Amino acid sequence: MFTNAMIEEFRAAYPDEIYAIALSQSLGSGQVQQDDTTVQVTAMGVNEEYALANNVNLLHGRFVKDSDGERQIAVVSDVFCESVFGTSGASVLGQEFELSVNGQLLRFYVAGVYEYDDDGFVSMTGSDPVTELYLPLEAAQKLSGGETGYQSFTVVASTDTDTTAFLEQVESFFASFYTRNESYTATASSMESMLEEMTSMLNTVKLAISAIAAISLLVGGIGVMNIMLVSITERTREIGTRKALGAPGFAIRMQFITEAVVICLVGGALGVALGVGLGAAGAGLLGYAAKPSLTAIGLAVGFSMLIGVFFGYYPASKAAKMDPIDALRYE
């Protein structure tokens, strides 16, 4: 575990590069019941700099301070206040409530109210979001009864700091404490490095999906080719009659290529309708709006037509090269 002594030594070693260090201790999910109202929260002990690192926008009161120690105070969201107290105004400051968490019933007083920010990743209980409830760090550590120290923490670099170089310095600094530890070491990651890893993962997924799509197109194209070959076999006498009446090979070829394109066009249209329908149903279940791109739909239908041309060319050429005498004698 990272200790307070390690963190203070780190802060002293890089005073100009560090803007804030956010420490936290999770207490887990809890419930606050007021009269007939029950509100779900995520209780978390934090230090004073947590607000700076996470852009917590205070509406009323104050944020927790390192000097609060084990005081039973809490900073809650305006959504929480509306549900529990019926208002999110300054009048809620000093109000008490009881928090049930980890089998304990604890009493807290509201020290501050922050603005709830819906960032798109919202846990819901019924119709209300589950918001975070901030406590003094020491109080949370005592209530959790766990080991002292931290498994992780967040460092916000100063504006003029080279974050790439600083990331390496941070990792090297803390890894030095674990040189004789055979089981654990310290690692550091930035938002940029995590974004690069996520992009790499998405590219791998895209590649896998593209491979599956290519196999599906190949199977579908072979199916179209087989259908056209069967159709030509069944219509051999018709082809012979047309050629005997003077139809050029180009006309025969275009007839069957057009039929292959029409088959793929109908299949593409059905695929688009099915994709849009299932996408809308999935979006409705997840609660997110999803609107298909007309450009993507056009590309999909156009590509299906190209498949018809590509896989329909061989059967069409075979039909165009038939000898009219042999075709007329075909049974």
Side-chain angles (χ1 to χ4, degrees), residues 88-111:
S88 58
S91 60
V92 301
L93 298 177
Q95 296 279 352
E96 67 176 356
F97 62 89
E98 291 184 339
L99 170 66
S100 176
V101 59
N102 297 332
Q104 304 177 77
L105 188 61
L106 308 169
R107 178 173 296 176
F108 288 93
Y109 298 87
V110 178

Side-chain angles (χ1 to χ4, degrees), residues 5-330:
M6 290 182 190
I7 295 170
E8 290 307 314
E9 187 175 336
F10 168 66
R11 194 191 296 271
Y14 300 96
D16 297 328
E17 290 85 352
I18 299 172
Y19 172 70
I21 297 179
L23 306 174
S24 62
Q25 172 69 53
S26 176
L27 280 182
S29 299
Q31 287 185 341
V32 175
Q33 187 161 358
Q34 195 86 341
D35 298 328
D36 297 330
T37 303
T38 301
V39 178
Q40 302 286 339
V41 296
T42 300
M44 182 183 301
V46 297
N47 68 333
E48 190 171 339
E49 294 180 25
Y50 185 92
L52 295 176
N54 292 273
N55 297 319
V56 178
N57 182 27
L58 273 180
L59 299 176
H60 309 290
R62 65 173 179 86
F63 199 69
V64 296
K65 297 180 179 179
D66 295 337
S67 59
D68 286 331
E70 299 178 7
R71 295 179 63 188
Q72 302 291 92
I73 62 170
V75 177
V76 296
S77 70
D78 51 353
V79 174
F80 172 91
C81 293
E82 289 285 354
S83 300
V84 175
F85 304 114
T87 178
S88 58
S91 60
V92 301
L93 298 177
Q95 296 279 352
E96 67 176 356
F97 62 89
E98 291 184 339
L99 170 66
S100 176
V101 59
N102 297 332
Q104 304 177 77
L105 188 61
L106 308 169
R107 178 173 296 176
F108 288 93
Y109 298 87
V110 178
V113 179
Y114 71 90
E115 182 181 12
Y116 172 68
D117 181 19
D118 180 1
D119 58 4
F121 300 91
V122 185
S123 177
M124 301 290 290
T125 301
S127 59
D128 297 325
V130 179
T131 62
E132 292 182 331
L133 185 149
Y134 301 119
L135 318 172
L137 185 58
E138 286 187 34
Q141 289 174 331
K142 179 182 179 181
L143 293 171
S144 65
E147 298 180 58
T148 57
Y150 315 94
Q151 291 185 345
S152 64
F153 59 90
T154 302
V155 179
V156 181
S158 301
T159 306
D160 299 330
T161 302
D162 181 354
T163 54
T164 303
F166 188 46
L167 179 69
E168 297 178 359
Q169 293 172 350
V170 171
E171 182 167 315
S172 176
F173 180 89
F174 284 102
S176 66
F177 290 97
Y178 298 88
T179 52
R180 298 182 181 180
N181 192 320
E182 297 179 357
S183 302
Y184 297 95
T185 188
T187 60
S189 60
S190 65
M191 295 297 292
E192 184 179 0
S193 64
M194 288 188 287
L195 182 61
E196 289 175 355
E197 291 178 8
M198 184 66 69
T199 302
S200 176
M201 290 173 57
L202 289 176
N203 289 336
T204 303
V205 172
K206 286 180 182 178
L207 184 62
I209 292 174
S210 299
I212 294 171
I215 294 171
S216 301
L217 287 172
L218 179 62
V219 173
I222 292 172
V224 170
M225 183 185 294
N226 288 335
I227 290 171
M228 295 309 300
L229 288 172
V230 170
S231 176
I232 289 168
T233 302
E234 293 176 345
R235 296 158 64 185
T236 301
R237 288 177 63 85
E238 174 193 331
I239 296 168
T241 301
R242 289 196 65 195
K243 297 200 73 172
L245 292 174
F250 174 77
I252 301 295
R253 186 180 294 109
M254 285 304 300
Q255 174 189 348
F256 286 98
I257 288 178
T258 302
E259 290 182 12
V261 169
V262 170
I263 290 172
C264 289
L265 183 60
V266 172
L270 291 174
V272 168
L274 186 64
V276 171
L278 291 177
L285 290 174
L286 295 173
Y288 293 98
K291 185 178 180 181
S293 167
L294 293 178
T295 303
I297 292 175
L299 285 173
V301 174
F303 205 78
S304 68
M305 294 172 66
L306 287 175
I307 292 294
V309 173
F310 183 80
F311 285 96
Y313 185 81
Y314 170 72
S317 294
K318 183 179 179 181
K321 294 175 183 177
M322 281 186 180
D323 184 87
I325 297 174
D326 292 336
L328 287 170
R329 294 176 57 190
Y330 182 81

